[in-house]
């Protein structure tokens, strides 16, 4: 049945032949569309088009979410790929284990976490999600059902981790969990005066497992890059009770586009930076620190009916300060600051993923309201700065990068193409795997 599907950023809206995998116990259904290329989609939290397939097949997978085994002694869990991080934590945290890597939302599936090789606020300590995947089962359109790990079908294992769902249907995932003795974390929030202040705090926080910073894109020339640095670690009080996860606010309708402008975003940033409690320390449940945006149901509607684009890049360590500064200068000059601007340090990558985003460096994530071609042209300007500094863009967040930018950042992309299931594709992959310049000419 053809119907429109939106990206999480709401800037991409395409018609799809939508079908869903049945829950266990129901009559079996098709994994691959019979007459069209397909892509697999979990909770739909990819900001751009990696899980969209315009005018093609789209297989909804999140309803297949059973836990297959859980070794509470070793902390090894195997579950269907539709299980969310939220559901996983609800089972494992009371038993003293937690998913070792979690992105900024708990409402992602294990399959999505593998396909995008997601990273968290602790990348500098533990690497990306794929570093903790011990095995996975992959279904191919040929009818093969392959159990893959670092020794068996290792080429498909490496390609599937960070493979954007292109190697086939990930039926189940097995991961090594991380032991904890509490569901509580101790958090410190520290204001920093400029970009140099961020790098100083980051250097001083190497022994903190979780670090992240919010940055004010509209700060003045003398304090460009000022913001709030947050760092956290689990405590050991034995309290494994989780917090309630119900959102405290819900947006049921999109806000008017006119509310998002230079004046309103600048005012928000000032109020946020100098609000009471902006600099504080104390104990809180891990969900509040890990997943702040999950407290607002439908927060992606903040940007109006036209939606938004996220631009997340990573710049390698040796020129991170220079590259991030160049991005902030360009954004300030354009006057399109973001009120959700996040700086984060990454460590050396330990995931086997063939095309993993993270590297030793610093990532900057920014949201921009969709103003049509004007916005995508500006994003391309930011891309050029990233590429000039040896960085790359995050496919899970992207809806605009060119084939040239993607291929410069991911030199292993041809290996993924060679292992891609012939019945699987996506709007993203068609855009970035063609000859550079073709997309711009169309």
């Amino acid at each position: 049945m053809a119907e429109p599907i939106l990206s999480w950023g709401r800037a991409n809206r395409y018609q799809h032949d939508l079908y869903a995998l049945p829950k266990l116990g129901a009559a079996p259904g098709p994994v691959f569309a019979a007459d069209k290329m397909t892509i697999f989609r979990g909770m739909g939290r990819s900001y751009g088009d990696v899980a969209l397939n315009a005018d093609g097949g789209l297989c909804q997978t999140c309803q297949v979410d059973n836990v297959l085994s859980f070794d509470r002694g070793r902390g090894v869990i195997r579950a269907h790929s539709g299980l969310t991080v939220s559901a996983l934590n609800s089972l494992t945290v009371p038993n003293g284990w937690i998913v070792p890597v979690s992105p900024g939302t708990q409402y992602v599936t294990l399959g999505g976490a593998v396909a995008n090789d997601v990273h968290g606020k602790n990348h500098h300590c533990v690497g990306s999600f794929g570093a903790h995947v011990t095995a996975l089962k992959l279904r191919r359109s040929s009818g093969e059902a392959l159990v893959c790990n670092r020794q068996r079908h290792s080429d498909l294992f490496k390609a599937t981790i960070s493979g954007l769902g292109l190697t086939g249907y990930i039926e189940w995932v097995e991961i090594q969990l991380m032991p904890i003795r509490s569901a509580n974390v101790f958090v410190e929030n520290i204001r920093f005066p400029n970009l140099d202040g961020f790098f100083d705090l980051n250097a001083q926080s190497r022994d903190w497992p979780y670090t992240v910073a919010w940055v004010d894109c509209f700060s003045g020339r003398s304090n460009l890059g000022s913001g709030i640095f947050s760092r956290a670690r689990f405590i050991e009080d034995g309290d494994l009770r989780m917090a309630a996860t119900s959102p405290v606010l819900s947006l049921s309708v999109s806000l008017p586009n006119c509310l998002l402008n230079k004046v309103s975003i600048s005012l928000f940033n000032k109020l946020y930076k100098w609000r009471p409690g902006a600099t504080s320390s104390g104990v809180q449940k891990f969900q509040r620190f890990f997943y702040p945006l999950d407290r607002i149901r439908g927060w992606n509607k903040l940007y109006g009916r036209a939606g938004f684009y996220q631009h997340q890049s990573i710049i390698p360590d040796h020129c991170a300060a220079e590259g991030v500064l160049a991005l902030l200068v360009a954004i300030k000059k354009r006057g399109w600051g973001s009120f959700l601007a996040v700086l984060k340090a990454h460590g050396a990558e330990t995931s086997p993923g063939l095309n993993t985003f993270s590297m030793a460096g610093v990532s900057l994530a920014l949201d921009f309201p969709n103003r049509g071609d004007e916005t995508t042209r500006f994003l391309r300007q930011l891309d050029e700065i990233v590429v000039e500094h040896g960085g790359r863009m995050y496919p899970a967040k992207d809806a605009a990068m060119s084939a040239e930018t993607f291929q410069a950042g991911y030199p292993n992309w041809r290996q993924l193409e060679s292992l891609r299931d012939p019945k699987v594709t996506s709007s993203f992959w068609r855009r970035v795997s063609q000859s550079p310049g073709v997309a711009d000419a169309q």
Side-chain angles (χ1 to χ4, degrees), residues 135-384:
L136 58 87
K137 186 175 182 179
L138 188 68
R139 287 198 175 272
R140 304 272 285 180
S141 63
S142 63
E144 294 176 291
L146 306 173
V147 175
C148 308
N149 55 36
R150 293 178 187 243
Q151 293 78 39
R152 188 178 181 187
H153 304 298
S154 60
D155 55 344
L156 277 170
F157 183 70
K158 295 174 183 178
T160 300
I161 296 172
S162 74
L164 309 177
L166 297 168
T167 59
Y169 169 55
I170 304 170
E171 183 173 319
W172 54 252
V173 180
E174 182 181 272
I175 59 175
Q176 174 64 62
L177 301 170
M178 183 180 76
I180 53 172
R181 296 185 63 184
S182 178
N184 300 314
V185 292
F186 179 77
V187 180
E188 287 187 356
N189 299 307
I190 308 167
R191 193 179 290 119
F192 55 90
N194 49 39
L195 191 58
D196 287 342
F198 163 80
F199 282 98
D200 289 342
L201 275 171
N202 187 60
Q204 297 165 22
S205 305
R206 297 291 187 187
D207 60 339
W208 287 76
Y210 299 91
T211 60
V212 67
W214 169 85
V215 62
D216 180 5
C217 294
F218 281 114
S219 46
R221 183 174 300 179
S222 62
N223 63 337
L224 185 62
S226 64
I228 298 169
F229 189 95
S230 299
R231 56 194 186 187
R233 58 166 52 100
F234 278 97
I235 62 176
E236 298 189 357
D237 62 1
D239 179 8
L240 292 168
R241 295 171 299 171
M242 293 179 60
T245 57
S246 299
V248 298
L249 180 65
S250 180
L251 290 178
S252 57
V253 296
S254 299
L255 296 183
N257 291 7
C258 61
L259 292 180
L260 292 172
N261 52 57
K262 182 176 181 179
V263 173
S264 64
I265 296 176
S266 178
L267 178 61
F268 170 87
N269 284 3
K270 287 180 180 178
L271 293 174
Y272 185 81
K273 184 165 53 177
W274 296 101
R275 74 192 189 280
T279 55
S280 61
S281 62
V283 175
Q284 57 187 248
K285 291 297 181 183
F286 78 91
Q287 297 106 308
R288 182 178 176 185
F289 177 74
F290 281 17
Y291 317 118
L293 286 176
D294 284 351
R295 303 179 76 192
I296 306 174
R297 179 184 287 119
W299 68 263
N300 56 335
K301 296 177 183 176
L302 285 167
Y303 294 87
R305 293 179 61 84
F308 69 98
Y309 290 93
Q310 182 164 114
H311 188 274
Q312 183 166 6
S313 60
I314 188 165
I315 309 291
D317 267 341
H318 72 273
C319 59
E322 176 189 334
V324 171
L325 179 61
L327 289 169
L328 292 177
V329 168
I331 292 161
K332 184 172 178 61
K333 182 178 180 180
R334 189 66 181 82
W336 280 5
S338 167
F339 64 81
L340 292 174
V342 178
L343 270 174
K344 188 160 46 183
H346 298 242
E349 185 55 75
T350 55
S351 169
L354 196 61
N355 290 283
T356 296
F357 164 72
S358 291
M359 66 173 87
V362 173
S363 66
L364 175 63
L366 307 136
D367 294 342
F368 297 103
N370 177 19
R371 298 180 175 94
D373 290 344
E374 188 179 11
T375 304
T376 55
R377 284 195 298 270
F378 178 59
L379 295 178
R380 295 288 178 87
Q381 293 175 27
L382 298 183
D383 289 353
E384 290 176 5

Side-chain angles (χ1 to χ4, degrees), residues 17-24 27-41 53 56-61 63-64 80-81 137-145 165-172 421-425:
D17 286 337
L18 181 66
Y19 63 104
L21 295 179
K23 281 183 170 288
L24 283 188
V31 173
F32 298 89
D35 57 349
K36 290 192 174 185
M37 302 280 278
T38 195
I39 193 63
F40 303 99
R41 183 174 185 259
N53 184 26
L58 190 151
C59 181
Q60 193 71 47
T61 64
Q63 61 281 358
V64 185
H80 282 122
S81 63
K137 186 175 182 179
L138 188 68
R139 287 198 175 272
R140 304 272 285 180
S141 63
S142 63
E144 294 176 291
L166 297 168
T167 59
Y169 169 55
I170 304 170
E171 183 173 319
W172 54 252
D421 190 287
K423 291 283 290 181
V424 180
T425 189

